[in-house]
Each structure stands twice: as structure tokens, then as C-alpha cells.
Amino acid sequence: MDEKFDCIIVGAGVAGLTAAMILARNNMKFLLIEKGEFPGSKNVSGGVIWGEDLSRLVPEYWHETDGGWDRYINHRRLTFIDEQSSFSIDFKSDHFNTPPYAGIVVLRSKFDRWLAGKVEEAIAESDFAMDSFIATNILVEEILMEKDKAVGIRTGDEKFYADSIILAEGVNNLLTRQAGLQNDYVPADHILTGVKEIIRYDQNVLEDRFQLNGLSGMSNEYVGFATRGVEGGGFLYTNRDTISIGLVLGLKDLRKKGLKPHDILSDFKAHPVIKDTIRGGEVVEYSAHVVSSGDKRIMPKKLYKDGLLVCGEAANLLMNAGKAIQGMDYAMRSGILAAESAIKARDAGDFSSHIMKGYQDALNNSYVMQDINNFQDAVHLLHNPVMYQKMPNLINHFGRNFFTIRNEPTKKAHAMFRESVSEHASWMDLIKIGIKGARSL
Ligand SMILES: Cc1cc2nc3c(=O)[nH]c(=O)nc-3n(C[C@H](O)[C@H](O)[C@H](O)COP(=O)(O)OP(=O)(O)OC[C@H]3O[C@@H](n4cnc5c(N)ncnc54)[C@H](O)[C@@H]3O)c2cc1C
């Protein structure tokens, strides 16, 4: 295979597969290389794909009820927990029942494989049915450069050449660093580790337990004692006949507190509120993966250079501002934009930074960078101990008092609230969080 490709994509995760789909539809001859045994074999997410971009890739995917997705989200819950209690904000709406869905739950080993199948179909319909490939079980070790322009990749002794390279290698972005677009050293305080279990139930039990109807599903995020005081949070999502339950935990804080992710996950599952929610299931899978904190300061300074584009979490495109983890939808949109730039470069016959820069401009104008920029304060707020330790304790203290009926005169809610503040935080904490929260959200 010594001929040259229009484009080489590294990584068949959400970003790489999305880019591949756009390239196939636009008659680009490309090679998509994945180190895993099959697309999705190495990938982990909670996970919900938020937004509607999937319907741009696979129109009316919702008709494929046996396809890559598990359930659509129509029920959302944010839960603050302390050692014994939980206090939730709960929102369920029939508005979410109509496609295109606002969020779908996926299991990556199934979803990525399914999406790869759709890319294969698009390749088969393109002019390069015999010349574009998804190649698995291959580790890309080096980006080949000539006069500071990316011209190809090396894997073992083999070299493959292309006019443009799209790096979609995910959060461990070794090639992005090799290309000089990101510092070699990314401090541990900007990286979290995610641990997750998949627990299986009889489907009827699952649907009754979580009040699911047909393919509706729920997402529940947790803040507070879920992480035993470690920076981060928890999640629970309903799949077809399983749930995904897990935590994302700050690496630096874990090290400082000497705690292990699987011990914290066991404790989380044993929490009185969680224990009742998950009882009776069988753990069928355990996985772990690092995930970016979403702090913009560790983004590569530039996402392009001559012949090269970086998308997805390799570009640190991820955000959790309290409402949800958004990584897969950012991977999808940036994959679309990167592929569109590679196509523009082919049409112009110019693969220099001059054209590649259009990708960064398009990304900056998209909701991805607008949200990352606008909600940075919220990202930092969520990583503030007041937010993930004191506030959940305060809220639950208040909840316990408020919902306890004694056969004695009842205090007014504001008096109870004052008590909770003095027990678990300070007015100064609340003022700071209030001001920052109001500004950031
Ligand atoms: C516990 C957890 C929960 C999460 N929950 C959510 C959620 O609910 N919603 C959400 O939107 N996001 C969630 N995320 C984040 C989301 O998973 C990522 O942001 C998303 O997967 C990024 O997609 P990507 O395509 O950029 O990278 P990845 O999905 O990581 O794909 C990168 C691919 O590149 C391959 N690769 C890497 N290097 C090479 C190489 N040198 N050669 C060949 N192949 C290579 C990898 O094997 C992989 O297949 C979660 C993450 C974790 C860890």
C-alpha cells in the first residue's frame, strides 16, 4: 500500500469516525488507523452523546432501534449527597421523547463499532470504495514531517503518506505533543480518571426501577460524598438492560488523599441511596480511562499546522460545567469541522497553515469553543472544594431539617438554612459561590 492518500486519520473514536464519515461522503481517499482490535474496543465514556449532530452523520438513526445507541434521555437528575442523604434536582419531560433526541446513551464498544459500520457503508458508496480503509490493530508511532509539514505517519517499519493528517487520538495525545502543538508535560491537576461499572438487570426490572417507558432513559449526576471528598463527581445512566455507574476523580487529589478509584467506587455503590437504586444487578464489566478536566489552559495552543489538524479530546475539547460531561458531542462537531477543512484544502490544492487555520476559526465560531470559553468559570467552580464538599453537606443538612416533622414548633426555613450554613460552610463561602455561580452560569 505505497500510494498516497488524500487524508490519514489517527484514531477511530467518535472524532475520527465522524471525520471519516464526512471524508467518505465527499469522495476523499483516506486511511483511518485505530490501535484497538476494533473501533470502540479501547474507549470509555459514561456516556451520553448530547445534541443532534449524530443525525447529521446517520440521518434518522433513531429508526435503528437495534443500532449503536441504547436509550434516549427524557429524565435528568442532579443529586447532592452527603454520608447518608441525597437531595436532587429532578426534571422529566415528554418534550424529550421526539427525535432528533437531545441526548442518547451509548456503550462505546457497541456504538463506535456501529458507527464504523456506517462509515464502511459510506466508503462503499464513494469513488474510493476500493481505496479508502479503516485499519485496526495498528499503532501510529510517528507523524512524518518534511520542512515542518506533516506528510504521513509511521507504524513500525511502514510509512503511509497523505496530503493532510487528522489527529483524533483522544486524551493521551502523544502524537499531538510530538507534532509540537502541545507541551510534553500536562500537570496531573488537569487530568481526571474515570472508573465505571456496567451492571446488568432483567430489562423489565430495570424499566420498572427507573420508570422507563419503551426506549426512554435517565441520566443522574452526583456531587458530594460520592467521591469521598476527592475532586470529581459520579454518574449513573440507564442502558437497554444495564446501567453504567461510575466516577470521575481528580488524579492529583487522589494522590494527595492516598485513595484508590475502585475503593471509592465500592463505597459509592454502598452509599445508602445508591445501594437501594442498584440492588440485584450483576456487574458485567469494569473499565477505566483518563479524561480531561476541561480546563482551557491545557488546550494545545494551536489545533493545526501545515498538513495537520487536531480534533476531539486530543485537542482537549471537553467540558463539564455541572450540567453534563460533554466530550463526545465536541468530538463529533470538531471531527466534522476538521474533515470539512481537509476537503477545502484538497479543493484548493493548498495544505498549508493558511487553509488549515480555517478549521480553528470554524471551531472558535462553533458552540464548542463558545461554550468552553463562556463556561470556564463554571468548570473551575465545579473543581472547587466548597462546591464538591461543603455545598452537598450543607444542602443535605438543610434537607434533613426541612423534611423532618417533629411534634414541636417548626423553625422557619430561613432559620434552618442559617443553621446549615454555620454547620457546614460560612456566609463568605456562600457569597463567593453565589457571585461566581451567577456569573459563570
Ligand atoms: C468515565 C468517563 C465518562 C464520560 N462520560 C461522558 C459522557 O457522558 N458524555 C460525553 O460526551 N463524554 C463523556 N466522556 C468523555 C468522552 O468519552 C470523550 O471526550 C470522547 O471519547 C472523546 O472522543 P475522541 O474520539 O476524541 O477520543 P477517543 O474516544 O478516546 O478515541 C481515540 C481513539 O484513538 C485511538 N488511538 C489513540 N492513539 C492512537 C495511535 N497512536 N494509533 C492508533 N490509534 C490511536 C484510541 O484507541 C481510540 O480509539 C467520558 C469519559 C470518561 C473517561
Side-chain angles (χ1 to χ4, degrees), residues 10-16 33-36 40 42-50 108 138-140 168-171 175 194-196 235 237 247-248 289-291 311-314 317-318 325-329 331:
V10 182
V14 175
I33 306 183
E34 165 58 42
K35 69 180 174 186
K42 291 197 171 285
N43 301 339
V44 179
S45 57
V48 183
I49 302 183
W50 299 105
R108 293 293 299 277
I138 297 176
L139 174 74
V140 175
E169 56 181 334
V171 61
L175 298 171
V195 284
K196 167 178 149 177
F235 59 83
Y237 304 121
L247 301 167
V248 283
H289 203 284
V290 286
V291 59
C311 60
E313 219 183 320
L317 299 177
L318 184 130
I325 305 178
Q326 287 179 265
M328 290 185 282
D329 58 323

Short mmCIF file of all heavy atoms in Angstrom, two decimals, residues 10-16 33-36 40 42-50 108 138-140 168-171 175 194-196 235 237 247-248 289-291 311-314 317-318 325-329 331, ligand 1:
data_model
loop_
_atom_site.label_atom_id
_atom_site.label_comp_id
_atom_site.label_asym_id
_atom_site.label_seq_id
_atom_site.Cartn_x
_atom_site.Cartn_y
_atom_site.Cartn_z
N VAL A 10 -5.93 9.49 12.47
CA VAL A 10 -5.41 8.62 13.53
C VAL A 10 -6.44 8.55 14.66
O VAL A 10 -6.76 9.56 15.27
CB VAL A 10 -4.06 9.14 14.09
CG1 VAL A 10 -3.54 8.17 15.16
CG2 VAL A 10 -3.05 9.30 12.98
N GLY A 11 -6.99 7.35 14.89
CA GLY A 11 -7.94 7.14 15.99
C GLY A 11 -9.36 6.99 15.52
O GLY A 11 -9.92 7.90 14.91
N ALA A 12 -9.93 5.79 15.77
CA ALA A 12 -11.33 5.55 15.38
C ALA A 12 -12.24 5.64 16.61
O ALA A 12 -12.98 4.71 16.93
CB ALA A 12 -11.47 4.20 14.69
N GLY A 13 -12.15 6.77 17.32
CA GLY A 13 -13.13 7.09 18.35
C GLY A 13 -14.23 7.92 17.70
O GLY A 13 -14.38 7.91 16.47
N VAL A 14 -14.97 8.64 18.52
CA VAL A 14 -16.08 9.43 17.97
C VAL A 14 -15.56 10.48 16.97
O VAL A 14 -16.11 10.64 15.87
CB VAL A 14 -16.87 10.11 19.11
CG1 VAL A 14 -17.93 11.03 18.55
CG2 VAL A 14 -17.49 9.07 20.02
N ALA A 15 -14.46 11.17 17.34
CA ALA A 15 -13.96 12.24 16.47
C ALA A 15 -13.46 11.68 15.15
O ALA A 15 -13.80 12.19 14.07
CB ALA A 15 -12.84 13.00 17.19
N GLY A 16 -12.66 10.62 15.21
CA GLY A 16 -12.06 10.06 14.00
C GLY A 16 -13.11 9.45 13.08
O GLY A 16 -13.05 9.63 11.85
N ILE A 33 -6.77 4.92 10.91
CA ILE A 33 -5.99 3.92 11.62
C ILE A 33 -6.37 3.91 13.11
O ILE A 33 -6.40 4.96 13.76
CB ILE A 33 -4.48 4.19 11.50
CG1 ILE A 33 -4.09 4.32 10.03
CG2 ILE A 33 -3.68 3.07 12.16
CD1 ILE A 33 -2.61 4.51 9.80
N GLU A 34 -6.62 2.72 13.63
CA GLU A 34 -7.03 2.55 15.02
C GLU A 34 -6.13 1.48 15.67
O GLU A 34 -5.93 0.42 15.11
CB GLU A 34 -8.51 2.13 15.07
CG GLU A 34 -8.98 1.58 16.40
CD GLU A 34 -8.81 2.54 17.57
OE1 GLU A 34 -9.07 3.74 17.43
OE2 GLU A 34 -8.36 2.07 18.65
N LYS A 35 -5.66 1.81 16.88
CA LYS A 35 -4.76 0.84 17.52
C LYS A 35 -5.51 -0.32 18.17
O LYS A 35 -4.96 -1.39 18.39
CB LYS A 35 -3.86 1.55 18.55
CG LYS A 35 -4.59 2.05 19.77
CD LYS A 35 -3.62 2.73 20.73
CE LYS A 35 -4.40 3.37 21.88
NZ LYS A 35 -3.58 4.15 22.77
N GLY A 36 -6.79 -0.11 18.48
CA GLY A 36 -7.57 -1.18 19.13
C GLY A 36 -7.94 -2.27 18.14
O GLY A 36 -7.86 -2.10 16.93
N GLY A 40 -13.74 1.30 19.18
CA GLY A 40 -14.51 1.26 20.44
C GLY A 40 -13.92 0.31 21.45
O GLY A 40 -14.26 0.38 22.64
N LYS A 42 -11.17 0.23 22.86
CA LYS A 42 -10.35 0.85 23.90
C LYS A 42 -11.03 2.07 24.52
O LYS A 42 -10.42 2.78 25.31
CB LYS A 42 -9.01 1.29 23.30
CG LYS A 42 -8.14 0.10 22.91
CD LYS A 42 -6.71 0.52 22.73
CE LYS A 42 -5.79 -0.67 22.55
NZ LYS A 42 -5.52 -1.38 23.78
N ASN A 43 -12.28 2.33 24.13
CA ASN A 43 -12.86 3.61 24.50
C ASN A 43 -13.90 3.50 25.63
O ASN A 43 -14.65 2.54 25.70
CB ASN A 43 -13.49 4.26 23.28
CG ASN A 43 -12.43 4.47 22.20
OD1 ASN A 43 -11.24 4.50 22.52
ND2 ASN A 43 -12.85 4.61 20.97
N VAL A 44 -13.89 4.52 26.48
CA VAL A 44 -14.79 4.55 27.63
C VAL A 44 -15.46 5.90 27.70
O VAL A 44 -14.82 6.93 27.52
CB VAL A 44 -13.99 4.36 28.96
CG1 VAL A 44 -14.92 4.41 30.16
CG2 VAL A 44 -13.19 3.07 28.96
N SER A 45 -16.77 5.88 27.95
CA SER A 45 -17.41 7.13 28.35
C SER A 45 -18.57 6.74 29.25
O SER A 45 -18.86 5.56 29.41
CB SER A 45 -17.90 7.94 27.15
OG SER A 45 -18.76 7.17 26.39
N GLY A 46 -19.25 7.76 29.83
CA GLY A 46 -20.32 7.46 30.78
C GLY A 46 -21.43 6.58 30.22
O GLY A 46 -21.72 5.54 30.79
N GLY A 47 -22.07 6.84 29.12
CA GLY A 47 -21.97 8.07 28.47
C GLY A 47 -23.17 8.45 27.62
O GLY A 47 -23.79 7.64 26.96
N VAL A 48 -23.40 9.73 27.68
CA VAL A 48 -24.49 10.31 26.89
C VAL A 48 -23.89 11.18 25.79
O VAL A 48 -23.01 12.01 26.05
CB VAL A 48 -25.43 11.17 27.76
CG1 VAL A 48 -26.59 11.70 26.94
CG2 VAL A 48 -25.94 10.38 28.95
N ILE A 49 -24.34 10.99 24.57
CA ILE A 49 -23.99 11.92 23.49
C ILE A 49 -25.10 12.97 23.46
O ILE A 49 -26.26 12.66 23.20
CB ILE A 49 -23.92 11.21 22.12
CG1 ILE A 49 -22.90 10.07 22.17
CG2 ILE A 49 -23.57 12.22 21.03
CD1 ILE A 49 -22.70 9.36 20.84
N TRP A 50 -24.71 14.20 23.79
CA TRP A 50 -25.70 15.28 23.85
C TRP A 50 -25.82 15.97 22.50
O TRP A 50 -24.85 16.06 21.75
CB TRP A 50 -25.27 16.31 24.92
CG TRP A 50 -25.19 15.70 26.29
CD1 TRP A 50 -24.05 15.38 26.98
CD2 TRP A 50 -26.28 15.30 27.12
NE1 TRP A 50 -24.37 14.82 28.19
CE2 TRP A 50 -25.72 14.76 28.31
CE3 TRP A 50 -27.67 15.34 27.00
CZ2 TRP A 50 -26.51 14.27 29.35
CZ3 TRP A 50 -28.45 14.86 28.04
CH2 TRP A 50 -27.87 14.34 29.19
N ARG A 108 -19.67 2.44 24.37
CA ARG A 108 -18.74 2.75 23.27
C ARG A 108 -18.33 1.55 22.44
O ARG A 108 -18.14 1.67 21.23
CB ARG A 108 -17.51 3.47 23.84
CG ARG A 108 -17.82 4.86 24.39
CD ARG A 108 -18.22 5.82 23.31
NE ARG A 108 -17.17 6.00 22.35
CZ ARG A 108 -16.14 6.84 22.51
NH1 ARG A 108 -16.07 7.59 23.59
NH2 ARG A 108 -15.22 6.95 21.58
N ILE A 138 -3.48 -1.30 14.66
CA ILE A 138 -2.24 -0.66 14.20
C ILE A 138 -1.99 0.59 15.04
O ILE A 138 -2.84 1.47 15.12
CB ILE A 138 -2.35 -0.26 12.71
CG1 ILE A 138 -2.54 -1.51 11.85
CG2 ILE A 138 -1.11 0.52 12.26
CD1 ILE A 138 -2.76 -1.22 10.37
N LEU A 139 -0.83 0.64 15.64
CA LEU A 139 -0.46 1.81 16.45
C LEU A 139 0.36 2.78 15.61
O LEU A 139 1.39 2.40 15.06
CB LEU A 139 0.37 1.35 17.66
CG LEU A 139 0.95 2.47 18.53
CD1 LEU A 139 -0.14 3.12 19.37
CD2 LEU A 139 2.06 1.93 19.43
N VAL A 140 -0.11 3.99 15.50
CA VAL A 140 0.68 5.02 14.80
C VAL A 140 1.73 5.52 15.79
O VAL A 140 1.41 5.97 16.89
CB VAL A 140 -0.21 6.17 14.31
CG1 VAL A 140 0.64 7.28 13.71
CG2 VAL A 140 -1.24 5.67 13.31
N ALA A 168 -6.99 12.32 15.81
CA ALA A 168 -8.20 12.14 16.64
C ALA A 168 -7.89 11.04 17.65
O ALA A 168 -8.64 10.11 17.82
CB ALA A 168 -9.38 11.75 15.75
N GLU A 169 -6.71 11.21 18.30
CA GLU A 169 -6.15 10.14 19.12
C GLU A 169 -6.65 10.14 20.57
O GLU A 169 -6.21 9.31 21.37
CB GLU A 169 -4.62 10.24 19.11
CG GLU A 169 -4.16 11.63 19.57
CD GLU A 169 -2.66 11.82 19.55
OE1 GLU A 169 -1.92 10.84 19.67
OE2 GLU A 169 -2.22 12.98 19.45
N GLY A 170 -7.53 11.07 20.91
CA GLY A 170 -8.08 11.09 22.26
C GLY A 170 -7.16 11.78 23.25
O GLY A 170 -6.16 12.41 22.87
N VAL A 171 -7.52 11.64 24.54
CA VAL A 171 -6.89 12.46 25.58
C VAL A 171 -5.39 12.18 25.75
O VAL A 171 -4.63 13.09 26.07
CB VAL A 171 -7.68 12.28 26.91
CG1 VAL A 171 -7.66 10.84 27.38
CG2 VAL A 171 -7.20 13.21 27.99
N LEU A 175 0.86 12.04 19.88
CA LEU A 175 1.28 12.49 18.55
C LEU A 175 1.10 14.01 18.43
O LEU A 175 1.90 14.69 17.79
CB LEU A 175 0.49 11.77 17.47
CG LEU A 175 0.68 10.23 17.44
CD1 LEU A 175 -0.31 9.57 16.49
CD2 LEU A 175 2.11 9.87 17.05
N GLY A 194 -11.48 8.26 35.07
CA GLY A 194 -12.87 7.80 35.14
C GLY A 194 -12.90 6.31 35.40
O GLY A 194 -12.12 5.56 34.79
N VAL A 195 -13.73 5.86 36.32
CA VAL A 195 -13.91 4.43 36.55
C VAL A 195 -15.40 4.14 36.42
O VAL A 195 -16.23 4.94 36.85
CB VAL A 195 -13.40 3.96 37.94
CG1 VAL A 195 -11.90 3.87 37.96
CG2 VAL A 195 -13.90 4.85 39.05
N LYS A 196 -15.68 2.98 35.84
CA LYS A 196 -17.09 2.72 35.53
C LYS A 196 -17.38 1.23 35.59
O LYS A 196 -16.56 0.41 35.21
CB LYS A 196 -17.33 3.24 34.11
CG LYS A 196 -18.61 2.82 33.47
CD LYS A 196 -18.73 3.44 32.11
CE LYS A 196 -19.51 2.52 31.20
NZ LYS A 196 -19.74 3.07 29.89
N PHE A 235 -21.80 9.38 38.27
CA PHE A 235 -22.85 9.33 37.25
C PHE A 235 -23.52 7.97 37.24
O PHE A 235 -22.94 6.96 37.66
CB PHE A 235 -22.28 9.66 35.85
CG PHE A 235 -21.19 8.73 35.40
CD1 PHE A 235 -21.47 7.50 34.82
CD2 PHE A 235 -19.86 9.09 35.56
CE1 PHE A 235 -20.46 6.65 34.39
CE2 PHE A 235 -18.82 8.23 35.15
CZ PHE A 235 -19.13 7.01 34.57
N TYR A 237 -26.21 6.07 34.33
CA TYR A 237 -27.02 6.18 33.11
C TYR A 237 -27.68 4.83 32.84
O TYR A 237 -27.07 3.79 33.05
CB TYR A 237 -26.16 6.57 31.90
CG TYR A 237 -25.38 7.85 32.09
CD1 TYR A 237 -23.99 7.85 32.00
CD2 TYR A 237 -26.02 9.05 32.37
CE1 TYR A 237 -23.26 9.02 32.18
CE2 TYR A 237 -25.29 10.22 32.54
CZ TYR A 237 -23.92 10.19 32.46
OH TYR A 237 -23.20 11.35 32.64
N LEU A 247 -17.47 7.06 38.37
CA LEU A 247 -16.97 8.29 38.97
C LEU A 247 -15.89 8.89 38.08
O LEU A 247 -15.20 8.14 37.38
CB LEU A 247 -16.30 7.98 40.32
CG LEU A 247 -17.14 7.33 41.40
CD1 LEU A 247 -16.23 6.81 42.51
CD2 LEU A 247 -18.15 8.33 41.97
N VAL A 248 -15.75 10.20 38.09
CA VAL A 248 -14.55 10.81 37.55
C VAL A 248 -13.84 11.51 38.71
O VAL A 248 -14.48 12.24 39.48
CB VAL A 248 -14.82 11.79 36.39
CG1 VAL A 248 -15.11 11.05 35.10
CG2 VAL A 248 -15.95 12.73 36.69
N HIS A 289 -10.51 4.98 32.39
CA HIS A 289 -9.93 5.78 31.30
C HIS A 289 -9.66 7.17 31.86
O HIS A 289 -10.44 7.65 32.67
CB HIS A 289 -10.94 5.87 30.15
CG HIS A 289 -10.34 6.18 28.82
ND1 HIS A 289 -9.92 7.43 28.46
CD2 HIS A 289 -10.10 5.38 27.75
CE1 HIS A 289 -9.44 7.39 27.22
NE2 HIS A 289 -9.54 6.15 26.76
N VAL A 290 -8.60 7.80 31.40
CA VAL A 290 -8.41 9.18 31.84
C VAL A 290 -9.33 10.11 31.04
O VAL A 290 -9.76 9.77 29.94
CB VAL A 290 -6.94 9.67 31.71
CG1 VAL A 290 -6.06 9.07 32.78
CG2 VAL A 290 -6.39 9.42 30.34
N VAL A 291 -9.59 11.26 31.62
CA VAL A 291 -10.47 12.23 30.96
C VAL A 291 -9.96 13.62 31.35
O VAL A 291 -9.45 13.82 32.46
CB VAL A 291 -11.95 11.97 31.34
CG1 VAL A 291 -12.18 12.06 32.83
CG2 VAL A 291 -12.90 12.91 30.62
N CYS A 311 -8.39 17.11 16.47
CA CYS A 311 -9.79 17.26 16.89
C CYS A 311 -10.12 16.34 18.07
O CYS A 311 -9.32 15.48 18.46
CB CYS A 311 -10.74 17.02 15.72
SG CYS A 311 -10.63 15.39 15.01
N GLY A 312 -11.31 16.52 18.62
CA GLY A 312 -11.78 15.68 19.72
C GLY A 312 -11.00 15.94 21.01
O GLY A 312 -10.47 17.02 21.22
N GLU A 313 -10.92 14.91 21.84
CA GLU A 313 -10.27 15.12 23.13
C GLU A 313 -8.76 15.24 23.00
O GLU A 313 -8.09 15.69 23.93
CB GLU A 313 -10.66 14.03 24.12
CG GLU A 313 -10.87 14.63 25.51
CD GLU A 313 -11.20 13.61 26.57
OE1 GLU A 313 -11.97 12.69 26.28
OE2 GLU A 313 -10.69 13.74 27.69
N ALA A 314 -8.21 14.87 21.84
CA ALA A 314 -6.78 15.15 21.59
C ALA A 314 -6.55 16.65 21.66
O ALA A 314 -5.47 17.12 22.01
CB ALA A 314 -6.37 14.61 20.23
N LEU A 317 -10.93 19.01 23.92
CA LEU A 317 -12.28 19.56 23.79
C LEU A 317 -13.22 18.76 24.70
O LEU A 317 -13.70 17.69 24.32
CB LEU A 317 -12.73 19.49 22.33
CG LEU A 317 -11.88 20.28 21.35
CD1 LEU A 317 -12.37 20.08 19.92
CD2 LEU A 317 -11.88 21.78 21.70
N LEU A 318 -13.43 19.26 25.86
CA LEU A 318 -14.32 18.59 26.82
C LEU A 318 -14.79 19.63 27.81
O LEU A 318 -14.07 20.58 28.11
CB LEU A 318 -13.57 17.49 27.57
CG LEU A 318 -14.46 16.68 28.52
CD1 LEU A 318 -14.25 15.19 28.28
CD2 LEU A 318 -14.21 16.99 29.97
N ILE A 325 -21.30 15.93 31.31
CA ILE A 325 -19.97 15.83 30.68
C ILE A 325 -20.21 15.91 29.18
O ILE A 325 -20.98 15.13 28.62
CB ILE A 325 -19.27 14.49 31.00
CG1 ILE A 325 -19.18 14.25 32.50
CG2 ILE A 325 -17.88 14.44 30.38
CD1 ILE A 325 -18.53 12.91 32.87
N GLN A 326 -19.56 16.86 28.54
CA GLN A 326 -19.66 16.96 27.07
C GLN A 326 -18.28 16.72 26.48
O GLN A 326 -17.39 17.55 26.62
CB GLN A 326 -20.18 18.34 26.68
CG GLN A 326 -21.66 18.54 26.97
CD GLN A 326 -22.11 19.93 26.60
OE1 GLN A 326 -22.16 20.81 27.44
NE2 GLN A 326 -22.44 20.12 25.33
N GLY A 327 -18.11 15.58 25.89
CA GLY A 327 -16.84 15.25 25.24
C GLY A 327 -17.13 14.64 23.88
O GLY A 327 -16.53 14.99 22.88
N MET A 328 -18.14 13.73 23.85
CA MET A 328 -18.43 13.05 22.58
C MET A 328 -19.08 13.99 21.57
O MET A 328 -18.81 13.91 20.37
CB MET A 328 -19.31 11.83 22.84
CG MET A 328 -18.55 10.72 23.55
SD MET A 328 -19.50 9.21 23.73
CE MET A 328 -20.57 9.60 25.09
N ASP A 329 -19.96 14.89 22.04
CA ASP A 329 -20.56 15.81 21.07
C ASP A 329 -19.52 16.80 20.54
O ASP A 329 -19.52 17.15 19.36
CB ASP A 329 -21.79 16.55 21.66
CG ASP A 329 -21.48 17.34 22.91
OD1 ASP A 329 -20.66 16.87 23.72
OD2 ASP A 329 -22.05 18.43 23.11
N ALA A 331 -16.38 16.02 20.26
CA ALA A 331 -15.55 15.20 19.35
C ALA A 331 -16.22 15.14 17.98
O ALA A 331 -15.57 15.26 16.94
CB ALA A 331 -15.37 13.80 19.93
C1 LIG B 1 -15.66 7.77 32.75
C2 LIG B 1 -15.94 8.70 31.61
C3 LIG B 1 -17.23 9.18 31.42
C4 LIG B 1 -17.51 10.02 30.35
N1 LIG B 1 -18.81 10.41 30.13
C5 LIG B 1 -19.10 11.14 29.04
C6 LIG B 1 -20.46 11.45 28.74
O1 LIG B 1 -21.40 11.02 29.42
N2 LIG B 1 -20.72 12.22 27.64
C7 LIG B 1 -19.70 12.69 26.83
O2 LIG B 1 -19.99 13.36 25.85
N3 LIG B 1 -18.41 12.40 27.11
C8 LIG B 1 -18.09 11.63 28.17
N4 LIG B 1 -16.78 11.31 28.44
C9 LIG B 1 -15.73 11.88 27.55
C10 LIG B 1 -15.69 11.15 26.22
O3 LIG B 1 -15.57 9.77 26.41
C11 LIG B 1 -14.51 11.65 25.39
O4 LIG B 1 -14.46 13.05 25.38
C12 LIG B 1 -14.61 11.15 23.95
O5 LIG B 1 -14.48 9.75 23.93
C13 LIG B 1 -13.52 11.76 23.08
O6 LIG B 1 -13.63 11.20 21.79
P1 LIG B 1 -12.36 11.14 20.85
O7 LIG B 1 -12.82 10.50 19.60
O8 LIG B 1 -11.72 12.47 20.77
O9 LIG B 1 -11.33 10.20 21.61
P2 LIG B 1 -11.45 8.66 21.98
O10 LIG B 1 -12.86 8.26 22.09
O11 LIG B 1 -10.57 8.47 23.17
O12 LIG B 1 -10.83 7.93 20.72
C14 LIG B 1 -9.44 8.00 20.42
C15 LIG B 1 -9.10 6.77 19.59
O13 LIG B 1 -7.78 6.88 19.10
C16 LIG B 1 -7.13 5.63 19.23
N5 LIG B 1 -5.69 5.93 19.27
C17 LIG B 1 -5.04 6.71 20.17
N6 LIG B 1 -3.74 6.80 19.85
C18 LIG B 1 -3.57 6.08 18.72
C19 LIG B 1 -2.42 5.79 17.93
N7 LIG B 1 -1.22 6.32 18.20
N8 LIG B 1 -2.58 4.98 16.85
C20 LIG B 1 -3.81 4.46 16.53
N9 LIG B 1 -4.93 4.71 17.26
C21 LIG B 1 -4.80 5.51 18.33
C22 LIG B 1 -7.70 5.06 20.53
O14 LIG B 1 -7.54 3.65 20.61
C23 LIG B 1 -9.16 5.48 20.42
O15 LIG B 1 -9.94 4.53 19.74
C24 LIG B 1 -16.46 10.45 29.49
C25 LIG B 1 -15.15 9.97 29.68
C26 LIG B 1 -14.90 9.09 30.73
C27 LIG B 1 -13.50 8.56 30.88
#
